[in-house]
């Protein structure tokens, strides 16, 4: 590990760095006459980078490749393959998560669930607790929404991905969800990340509205550090300066995270676009750049949607998106995990 220290440090400032090095069992050696480049050698410890970054005496961490954090790809760590009921993310498989933005009512949810399954999705999404920008907007059906999701699973065999907003709800949501969704607005809620980490179920972690890739990785690091390795990273667009889309879909970060981490990465083209007409092309781009799956909002009557109506694709378009993805996956020797596929149930 290499640190760049601030110039002209006093003895106590320097000691603050050396004390952390001792604590982590790292040997230290200055590489320059000015004593600003410090090399540290010793056992790998995921705490090392953040511990040094926090110190006022450290101007920057120049290289921490020998001190990987838990999310980092290392030579001896195989890709994490996350299985959620019939879905497989990673290891040559991609999966489709689809459904409404929010659970709205029984009839609508069951109609969508059946169509989502027919299109080739393995997981049904739908918020029972909705993190709305305005407190006056529809906030979701809460516990009743969870009960409807459980019934939809019974009827279709689809696994359920649903958002948890509050650490106090993790237990109740976990009784129904096959995977927790951590939404964009909650990505930096450390207490919630620790709680879903402890709960042991897989987590679909969405990137914060304006989170850097490092902040995104560190949010996953919280879940992994709490003992839960089953994290799927979800790029859903970051806030930009232009308003023709809701967000800017960061395809670069998808390709980057596939290289920099061992976790599966999926793309949510719906919240990125904010417009139904761009969802299909962005979904194609996501798979082409290496995503291990898609999360898509769909609705049979977009003009009746309670939340995020403008970005909901109709059910025919969802089926097109699934077909596109299957074809694109085939180009690089990957495949869609389907509910009836034997690999999907071989756990
Ligand atoms: C959602 O998935 O409906 C949602 C609220 O997404 P995000 O957290 O990405 O805004
Ligand atoms: Mn939504």
């Amino acid at each position: 590990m290499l640190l760049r220290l601030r110039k002209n440090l006093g003895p106590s400032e320097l000691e603050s760095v050396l004390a952390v090095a001792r604590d982590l069992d790292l040997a230290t050696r200055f590489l320059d006459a000015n004593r600003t480049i410090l090399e540290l050698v010793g056992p790998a410890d995921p705490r090392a980078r953040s511990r040094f970054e926090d110190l006022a005496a450290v101007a920057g961490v120049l290289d921490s490749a020998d001190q990987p954090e838990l999310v980092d790809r290392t030579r001896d760590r195989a890709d994490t393959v996350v299985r959620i009921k019939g879905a497989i993310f990673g290891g040559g498989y991609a999966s489709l998560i689809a459904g409404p933005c929010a659970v709205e009512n029984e009839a609508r949810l069951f109609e969508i669930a059946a169509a989502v399954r027919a299109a080739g999705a393995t997981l049904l999404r739908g918020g029972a607790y909705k993190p709305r920008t305005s407190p006056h907007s529809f906030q979701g059906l809460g516990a009743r929404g969870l009960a409807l999701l459980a019934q939809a699973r019974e009827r279709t065999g689809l696994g359920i991905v649903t958002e948890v907003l509050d650490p106090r709800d993790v237990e109740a949501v976990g009784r129904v969800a096959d995977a927790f969704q951590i939404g964009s607005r909650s990505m930096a809620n450390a207490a919630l990340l620790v709680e879903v980490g402890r709960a042991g179920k897989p987590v679909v972690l969405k990137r914060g509205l304006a989170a850097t890739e490092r902040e995104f990785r560190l949010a996953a690091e919280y879940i992994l550090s709490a003992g839960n390795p089953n994290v799927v990273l979800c790029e859903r667009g970051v806030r930009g300066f232009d308003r023709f889309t809701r967000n800017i879909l960061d395809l670069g970060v998808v390709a980057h995270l596939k290289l920099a981490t061992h976790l599966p990465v999926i793309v949510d083209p719906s919240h990125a676009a904010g417009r139904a007409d761009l969802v299909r092309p962005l979904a194609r781009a996501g798979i082409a750049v290496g995503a291990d799956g898609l999360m898509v909002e769909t609705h049979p009557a977009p003009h009746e949607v309670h939340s995020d109506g403008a970005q909901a694709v109709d059910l025919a378009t969802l089926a097109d998106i699934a077909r596109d993805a299957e074809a694109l996956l085939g180009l690089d020797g990957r495949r869609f995990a389907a509910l009836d596929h034997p690999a999907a149930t071989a756990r």
Side-chain angles (χ1 to χ4, degrees), residues 101 125 130-131 163 181 183-185 206 236 271 297:
C101 179
R125 59 146 291 143
K130 293 304 302 176
E163 179 157 0
Q181 177 173 322
S184 201
R185 290 158 194 78
K206 300 187 88 174
R236 47 77 75 203
H271 291 84
E297 287 190 352

Side-chain angles (χ1 to χ4, degrees), residues 100-176:
C101 179
V103 179
E104 296 175 345
N105 60 60
E106 180 175 321
R108 193 61 98 192
L109 183 67
F110 294 171
E111 176 189 4
I112 296 173
V116 155
R117 179 175 174 151
T122 38
L123 296 171
L124 176 67
R125 59 146 291 143
Y129 297 93
K130 293 304 302 176
R132 306 309 303 285
T133 301
S134 164
H136 307 300
S137 303
F138 174 61
Q139 304 288 311
L141 299 182
R144 170 149 172 73
L146 290 178
L148 293 178
L149 286 167
Q151 285 176 39
R153 173 177 43 211
E154 281 296 302
R155 287 172 160 244
T156 59
L158 292 165
I160 301 296
V161 180
T162 195
E163 179 157 0
V164 61
L165 277 173
D166 187 321
R168 293 168 298 187
D169 293 334
V170 166
E171 206 190 316
V173 174
R175 266 184 249 126
V176 168

